[in-house]
Amino acid sequence: MPDAERAATTTEPGRTAELLPLSQRILAALERAAAAVNDAGFVEAARLRAACALDPQAALADEVRELLSRAAPLPALAHLVELAACGLPVVGENDLGRAEVLVAGSPPAHAEVPDHVDASWNLHLEAAAAEGYAELPTSAWQRLVARLPLAVVDDLIDRGALHLSLAPHTWSERTERVRYVIARLSPEHLEDAEVTELEWEHEECRRILRSGGGVRPIEGQHDEWSLRSALLGGELDALDKVESDVDRFPVALADLVMSLQEVRRGGPVGRRLGQDRSLFGLLEDCQPGGRLISGSTAFHNWAGTRRMYRLLDDVHWSMACEPGRLREAARATLQQALALRSPESRGAAGRADREARAVQAYLHFLHASPNDRDRFDQGIGLLEDVLKRGGSHRGGVSGEQRHRMRDLSELLQSLRSKSKPREVLNPYLALCVEHGSTEWRQGWRDLRNQVETGQLEYINGAKDRIKRSETARRLGQDPEAIYALPLDERFLWVPDARNDVLQPAPQPLERRTSTSTEAERHWTATEAAREIIGRCATGTRNDH
């Protein structure tokens, strides 16, 4: 109502307008309420109008409620509570207790909620309970996530009130807000399309790498994801491209890059990296070529064994195609085998030691003359030393590897007794293919076109041994014994392990809202106050 209208009063002819008498306490409270909405003439005008009503107190209460509808809900409710305390009937009895709680700012007691509790008050109760880390039903959390300011939802997540065990990914309604909460708590439960909708680039890149895809650098410049992609793909030149500004990457990635750069320059593989099986392939690629691999970590044993067998391939190539390099190739192989020898019988060290012994024994027989019994005995002794210890619990070897070593030892002993040290011990290796490979014919054809005439007998002998063995197997007969290497092929496989730095696990989305404001933190109280004020004005209950 305009101020001019409020100032005007109408009285019956012959009667003088009078102000409604009020106590000083009520007058002071009315003045404060009027000042809150900058209405200086309200008190006198309202008293004049109320004096003419049949129920002056009720009329004045209506005037006050209309006045305070122009104020913010919580301050307005504070004035109503103050006036109610003075005796003015501005707040109903059912709402007065709630109003006092809201004005005091104290958290309401979360007692059993009756069915008729109003929606805004109920939400305020639930929000207060959530702030106090109370156990709430899933339906309550769904309401809070849907209606609270998002910054307040983030606060609840940051404080651990809204936590993973609430399983938001199982909620029936998967709204944009719920997807955001899932991203902040358990991003692994998001669909790829949902990650895209969130415009969450880091998670999109992480998923691409986990699925085996690649992330390319932008205009030749690596970010953390394209760098990870390059290293997973064996693109070691990426290490050179980022050498000058490696500090811009996350700490763990930067540390790994610097360690790999050091290895690539010829530095040692430290114990921390050397025990991480997920890095074995990458570390092997970083090793300078032609260098002896020696060390005590699982990586050194694994990579050294793989290098030993590559060198043994060179030995067979030299025997067939370049006899002049045979001595050099054999010496390099033996050096690597000796570097792998270990008193340890367990783990990678024990497995590498047994592979090294088997290769050493093989080389002893490969280069022994018919009457060189010392070399025969040394070769057999390398295997028997392990077999004589007994099972693995006694420092020896058990299971399939023991059976394989026993077969090799018996084969060598048989050759020693027949003085046939130059027997083709493994025809597959002689044809430069893996033991048992079905590609041996191609290996033989490749060598036949490269070897000198004097070496044809050697490769043809290897071919004939394989053919005899295959014929014997087809006829159900025992094939000729072959010196089968390696003892444990699986030991040489590149570990299929995920590296936590290059292929990180899902990380919760960082909050995207700013620090919550006071207004946002008091939002439920404001809405509850608004509901009470509206009910007081209409005289009805807004049941829910």
Side-chain angles (χ1 to χ4, degrees), residues 359-372:
V359 168
Q360 281 183 271
Y362 181 80
L363 292 174
H364 276 307
F365 268 70
L366 205 60
H367 300 290
S369 60
N371 298 318
D372 194 351

Side-chain angles (χ1 to χ4, degrees), residues 4-209:
E5 292 183 27
R6 287 198 179 118
T9 61
T10 58
T11 60
E12 295 180 9
R15 293 185 59 181
T16 303
E18 296 180 357
L19 294 175
L20 177 67
L22 297 171
S23 68
Q24 289 300 315
R25 184 181 177 195
I26 292 180
L27 283 173
L30 285 173
E31 291 291 352
R32 284 191 288 272
V37 294
N38 197 28
D39 192 341
F42 167 77
V43 175
E44 183 175 354
R47 290 175 69 188
L48 286 170
R49 287 190 294 271
C52 299
L54 294 176
D55 187 345
Q57 290 284 323
L60 183 59
D62 288 340
E63 293 272 358
V64 170
R65 285 191 289 262
E66 193 280 330
L67 170 79
L68 290 173
S69 66
R70 291 180 275 154
L74 280 175
L77 192 64
H79 289 294
L80 290 176
V81 168
E82 181 183 18
L83 288 165
C86 295
L88 196 63
V90 289
V91 181
E93 291 184 8
N94 291 334
D95 284 322
L96 185 56
R98 296 179 186 176
E100 290 171 343
V101 168
L102 291 171
V103 169
S106 56
H110 192 59
E112 282 295 319
V113 181
D115 293 339
H116 62 267
V117 166
D118 307 298
S120 295
W121 178 254
N122 191 34
L123 189 70
H124 181 59
L125 289 176
E126 291 169 342
E131 292 284 351
Y133 301 91
E135 293 292 332
L136 290 173
T138 299
S139 59
W141 282 112
Q142 290 173 317
R143 281 190 294 272
L144 292 172
V145 167
R147 298 194 58 193
L148 288 180
L150 191 56
V152 177
V153 175
D154 273 331
D155 289 346
L156 291 172
I157 293 173
D158 289 344
R159 288 199 297 271
L162 178 52
H163 48 77
L164 179 61
S165 65
L166 295 167
H169 62 279
T170 66
W171 296 356
S172 56
E173 289 192 50
R174 200 130 166 156
T175 63
E176 181 179 353
R177 279 202 169 202
V178 172
R179 290 195 295 271
Y180 175 76
V181 170
I182 295 171
R184 292 221 57 209
L185 293 176
S186 53
E188 66 275 9
H189 291 115
L190 288 174
E191 300 292 337
D192 290 346
E194 293 174 322
V195 174
T196 302
E197 289 173 7
L198 284 166
E199 298 181 354
W200 190 5
E201 183 181 354
H202 277 215
E203 179 62 12
E204 286 187 84
C205 292
R206 189 198 68 79
R207 292 186 178 208
I208 290 172
L209 296 187

Side-chain angles (χ1 to χ4, degrees), residues 298 301-302 305-306 347-349 351-352 355 488-493:
N301 289 302
W302 172 82
T305 303
R306 284 167 58 89
R351 298 169 81 177
E355 296 288 353
D488 182 5
E489 184 181 2
R490 295 176 65 89
F491 177 56
L492 304 181
W493 293 357

